[in-house]
Amino acid sequence: GEGEEENNNEVKWKDRVVEWVGETDVGMQASYIIAAPRLARPSTVYRLAVSILSGSTPVDVTAHMSSHRSSFNTARATISPGDTQDLLIKVPKIAEDRAFTLLVEGRRGYSLVFRNSTQVLVTPTFLTILMHLSRPCFTGGQLVSARVILLTTELKPYDEPVDAYILEIKAFFIHTNGDMRPSGVVSVKYQLPELPQAGWWRVRVSAGSQHQETRFLVHKIYDPLYEVFVEMPFYGLSDDEEIQGTLTGSYLTDKPIYGNASLTLYVKQPWTLPDSDFSRVSSIFYNHVDVMVDFSFPMASLLEYVQQLEGAEVKVEMRILSPGVVVSVVGTEPFIFRPGMHFSAAVSVIKEERQPVEKSRLAGSSLVITPSYTTSSGSSSTLPQIIVPALTTDGKLQEETFQAIRHGMRMRKWAAEGAVEIQETKWVNEMAWAEREVQDLMHNYTREQYFTEYRETGIYRYVQVTSSTDEAKVGEFAIFHIRSNFPVHQFVYLIMSKGMLVHSAREVTHGVDVVTVSVAVASSMAPRFTLLVYVTTDDGEVLADAMALPVKFFNSMEVQLSVNQHKDHSKKTVEIVVGAPPGSFYALTCQRALNYFKQHPNDLTHTRILDHMNLPWGAAPIS
């Protein structure tokens, strides 16, 4: 007979989903699968998927979420054998507790088929809140302007009441915009007094149970007669011959200055040392500076004060980086491959200090990938190399690069096998030249990475998920390919994003080995979603595979912006002409080019928005 079973076989999927695979009797095959997120958020729908794998009659499934002080509405569904359905639980705006117990039961009539429970965390974070301040820091008498963007998990404007505050250092509420209906955007302004309290002030936004803050610096600055600016790149390479920059200055009226000037260079190594460890290197004196002047210091002069250039920092906020390049396969080791199936991976080329490689250097470089394998018996062998040619159109340069790489590898192989006669000076010199060429070309370029087989024991059956879509776009379709090396009648796929289960479906294979699935990309799946596929074999084994895909949600609509050059010739006002689809909110920010290039943290960039949206859900939003 069928009875109650307390199954503790919980399988984590990147700590996002808890999955139960249950059997109704000992020794029998799996009869049900439950996939449920570990997180729930206010004002959202909690979705879990239940699959009934065996039996002859439908199963009545109920899902209930409760704590010792409150409970949510119960979700019910009648699921036929071989089918998968979603159960939906509405999470209220404000949850009294953070931890709830999810209880899922299945019955046939009055007979209990299964019962499983787990803990679900209800996080107060249910919005993406972005804050943009008009300046990185403020002084007395200036206007503090803050723009707050509130987006739901579907990237739609949040239109519920919002409280926005500006707080002093001692958390006094000095300015507030309360109970506003923002339509996705809130603006807060406050005029600072002439002598404000110096320190870190805060802008706080409260929406439902979510509270988020951002800090800004307030101090008193007295305007000087003029300012001097030293413009330099953010970093330099240790193989550069000079440290170069530009010295300029202007009055508060933007009138350029002129006169004599002196420039002093300091250095410390490593750059993490305190500023008190800076050592004076040299000085340059200019008898006359008119508007601007270009300066340079020899890079070799730093070696008299530091042991090595890599990791050094000079006083003018310029850091010296290693010229080495790291080439690696993107992902977390060990990488998984499945015998007999296609394997693809992305290769990353980046500097050791995680700075991008110059485009000109990439265009003139070639990439050589040497795969090797080790069998279960311990024998090793090398597979054919993969050579990616340079993008340069100079065929002679390409050929010289290929010849140097091939010749160097051939010489190294001959030397390792003892095929080179040391007495022959010609071959020794040729081998030394080839070794030196390979070292120059591949110095700090190579990195060994390890791959492992999907399974080491048991029956060798595999399921693989790949995609022919490099970057999904909202409103379009993402194409996935599901492969298997054994007959599969049907499979279930789950779409997960931001800790939530977005969608689940069952697909019939009709006896083919490769099934193509097109998934409509919704805004709730941005900035990244994961497709998880699992199948159940005839003998009850559950096999799964998954892959993540980024979603491009920027620039989803066409907008226009132009400056009216014929409006005000006195240049006291600027008129901007904008165009966007109806219902759009157009927000403009004006700042000096110098501040824009510095990318101060008060400004919003694509990278910062993505980083904020990729924060672990449930993390404390107060900064």
Side-chain angles (χ1 to χ4, degrees):
E2 297 163 335
E4 178 181 349
E5 180 207 4
E6 297 293 341
N7 193 317
N8 295 322
N9 184 20
E10 300 180 3
V11 180
K12 295 182 180 179
W13 187 261
K14 296 184 178 179
D15 296 328
R16 301 295 188 194
V17 173
V18 59
E19 183 180 86
W20 292 287
V21 181
E23 303 172 355
T24 55
D25 288 321
V26 178
M28 297 182 62
Q29 65 181 13
S31 60
Y32 67 93
I33 294 178
I34 304 173
R38 295 183 178 272
L39 290 178
R41 291 196 293 277
S43 302
T44 60
V45 175
Y46 182 85
R47 183 190 302 265
L48 65 150
V50 180
S51 300
I52 303 299
L53 307 179
S54 61
S56 57
T57 58
V59 178
D60 296 324
V61 181
T62 60
H64 183 68
M65 193 181 298
S66 62
S67 66
H68 65 283
R69 291 193 297 178
S70 61
S71 62
F72 303 154
N73 293 332
T74 302
R76 294 180 172 87
T78 300
I79 306 176
S80 302
D83 196 9
T84 300
Q85 288 192 25
D86 293 345
L87 279 76
L88 308 180
I89 301 176
K90 176 62 177 178
V91 183
K93 292 182 180 179
I94 299 178
E96 297 181 1
D97 297 315
R98 294 290 302 275
F100 282 74
T101 299
L102 174 64
L103 177 64
V104 183
E105 292 184 344
R107 295 178 181 270
R108 286 191 174 100
Y110 296 99
S111 178
L112 180 66
V113 179
F114 59 84
R115 173 185 293 160
N116 293 89
S117 63
T118 188
Q119 293 294 317
V120 176
L121 176 65
V122 179
T123 171
T125 304
F126 69 103
L127 296 174
T128 297
I129 300 179
L130 307 171
M131 298 190 187
H132 182 197
L133 275 72
S134 57
R135 298 172 182 266
C137 59
F138 297 84
T139 184
Q142 290 183 338
L143 179 66
V144 179
S145 299
R147 180 181 295 132
V148 184
I149 304 174
L150 302 99
L151 301 175
T152 64
T153 55
E154 297 179 353
L155 298 184
K156 295 182 179 180
Y158 181 71
D159 55 2
E160 296 293 330
V162 174
D163 293 328
Y165 312 94
I166 293 180
L167 292 81
E168 280 187 346
I169 300 175
K170 297 181 180 179
F172 293 137
F173 293 91
I174 62 174
H175 183 70
T176 175
N177 288 345
D179 196 21
M180 297 180 297
R181 292 188 176 273
S183 297
V185 179
V186 173
S187 297
V188 184
K189 295 183 179 181
Y190 176 70
Q191 185 73 36
L192 290 173
E194 289 297 330
L195 294 176
Q197 186 177 6
W200 290 98
W201 293 37
R202 291 172 291 168
V203 177
R204 173 182 292 181
V205 177
S206 299
S209 59
Q210 182 174 348
H211 309 280
Q212 188 163 321
E213 293 182 354
T214 186
R215 303 190 307 166
F216 62 93
L217 182 62
V218 175
H219 53 174
K220 182 59 180 175
I221 301 176
Y222 296 94
D223 295 335
L225 179 61
Y226 60 87
E227 290 184 283
V228 178
F229 305 101
V230 178
E231 299 179 4
M232 299 182 63
F234 293 108
Y235 63 90
L237 300 178
S238 59
D239 55 357
D240 293 340
E241 296 182 357
E242 295 179 333
I243 300 174
Q244 299 178 348
T246 302
L247 176 65
T248 183
S250 64
Y251 292 95
L252 296 182
T253 59
D254 286 339
K255 178 182 178 181
I257 63 173
Y258 62 92
N260 55 27
S262 62
L263 189 65
T264 304
L265 178 66
Y266 297 84
V267 67
K268 65 177 180 179
Q269 202 281 335
W271 66 271
T272 53
L273 293 176
D275 290 347
S276 58
D277 290 350
F278 271 117
S279 300
R280 182 181 180 278
V281 179
S282 61
S283 298
I284 301 176
F285 183 79
Y286 297 96
N287 292 322
H288 180 72
V289 176
D290 189 1
V291 181
M292 61 181 297
V293 63
D294 296 330
F295 66 88
S296 62
F297 290 93
M299 184 71 75
S301 63
L302 301 180
L303 293 175
E304 300 179 7
Y305 302 89
V306 294
Q307 295 181 355
Q308 59 181 11
L309 296 179
E310 287 81 0
E313 183 176 2
V314 294
K315 189 74 171 188
V316 285
E317 301 296 335
M318 178 183 178
R319 188 180 304 171
I320 301 175
L321 308 179
S322 171
V325 175
V326 177
V327 178
S328 61
V329 179
V330 178
T332 304
E333 297 184 9
F335 299 95
I336 305 300
F337 72 92
R338 294 158 181 81
M341 293 187 177
H342 177 72
F343 176 82
S344 62
V347 178
S348 170
V349 181
I350 195 171
K351 292 183 179 180
E352 292 181 344
E353 298 289 340
R354 304 195 61 81
Q355 297 292 334
V357 181
E358 298 83 357
K359 293 183 179 180
S360 58
R361 188 175 183 182
L362 285 176
S365 302
S366 302
L367 181 65
V368 180
I369 302 175
T370 305
S372 61
Y373 67 90
T374 303
T375 63
S376 56
S377 61
S379 60
S380 301
S381 182
T382 301
L383 298 176
Q385 291 181 344
I386 303 173
I387 299 180
V388 181
L391 294 178
T392 177
T393 57
D394 188 352
K396 182 179 180 181
L397 178 60
Q398 289 187 11
E399 186 61 29
E400 290 177 355
T401 304
F402 288 159
Q403 288 293 340
I405 294 175
R406 295 192 189 100
H407 193 72
M409 291 182 175
R410 185 167 61 251
M411 292 295 101
R412 296 177 69 176
K413 181 178 180 181
W414 288 350
E417 297 176 354
V420 178
E421 296 293 337
I422 303 298
Q423 292 79 4
E424 297 185 15
T425 306
K426 175 182 177 181
W427 284 102
V428 172
N429 294 337
E430 188 76 10
M431 184 182 67
W433 172 85
E435 289 280 352
R436 186 170 59 254
E437 284 290 318
V438 171
Q439 290 177 2
D440 293 340
L441 288 171
M442 308 299 292
H443 176 64
N444 288 337
Y445 275 59
T446 59
R447 177 184 174 188
E448 292 184 356
Q449 292 182 277
Y450 300 96
F451 300 77
T452 183
E453 192 177 344
Y454 183 67
R455 299 183 57 185
E456 296 182 356
T457 59
I459 303 175
Y460 291 89
R461 292 180 293 202
Y462 306 100
V463 175
Q464 184 187 47
V465 179
T466 59
S467 177
S468 55
T469 304
D470 296 330
E471 186 179 43
K473 296 181 180 179
V474 175
E476 299 183 0
F477 287 93
I479 309 301
F480 293 91
H481 310 283
I482 293 88
R483 294 176 173 84
S484 62
N485 63 347
F486 65 97
V488 175
H489 305 294
Q490 64 179 11
F491 60 85
V492 177
Y493 65 88
L494 311 176
I495 299 177
M496 300 171 290
S497 179
K498 298 188 286 288
M500 295 191 309
L501 181 60
V502 179
H503 177 70
S504 68
R506 179 174 59 93
E507 193 77 18
V508 180
T509 63
H510 300 290
V512 298
D513 296 335
V514 181
V515 178
T516 300
V517 176
S518 59
V519 176
V521 181
S523 57
S524 59
M525 299 161 60
R528 180 181 60 183
F529 70 94
T530 301
L531 183 80
L532 169 65
V533 175
Y534 65 83
V535 300
T536 305
T537 63
D538 296 335
D539 55 357
E541 185 180 15
V542 179
L543 302 175
D545 190 24
M547 75 167 298
L549 198 65
V551 177
K552 182 179 181 180
F553 59 95
F554 288 113
N555 303 327
S556 59
M557 63 178 63
E558 183 178 354
V559 296
Q560 299 176 354
L561 186 147
S562 61
V563 180
N564 188 351
Q565 302 287 355
H566 309 285
K567 181 67 176 179
D568 189 352
H569 295 285
S570 66
K571 298 184 179 180
K572 294 182 179 180
T573 60
V574 178
E575 184 178 273
I576 304 295
V577 181
V578 299
S584 303
F585 180 87
Y586 217 116
L588 298 177
T589 300
C590 181
Q591 59 179 321
R592 291 181 178 273
L594 181 62
N595 291 335
Y596 175 78
F597 291 126
K598 291 293 184 181
Q599 294 290 296
H600 291 295
N602 69 296
D603 198 8
L604 291 178
T605 62
H606 286 192
T607 303
R608 287 170 184 160
I609 294 175
L610 288 175
D611 289 343
H612 190 84
M613 297 185 68
N614 284 321
L615 286 176
W617 290 98
I622 298 294
S623 59

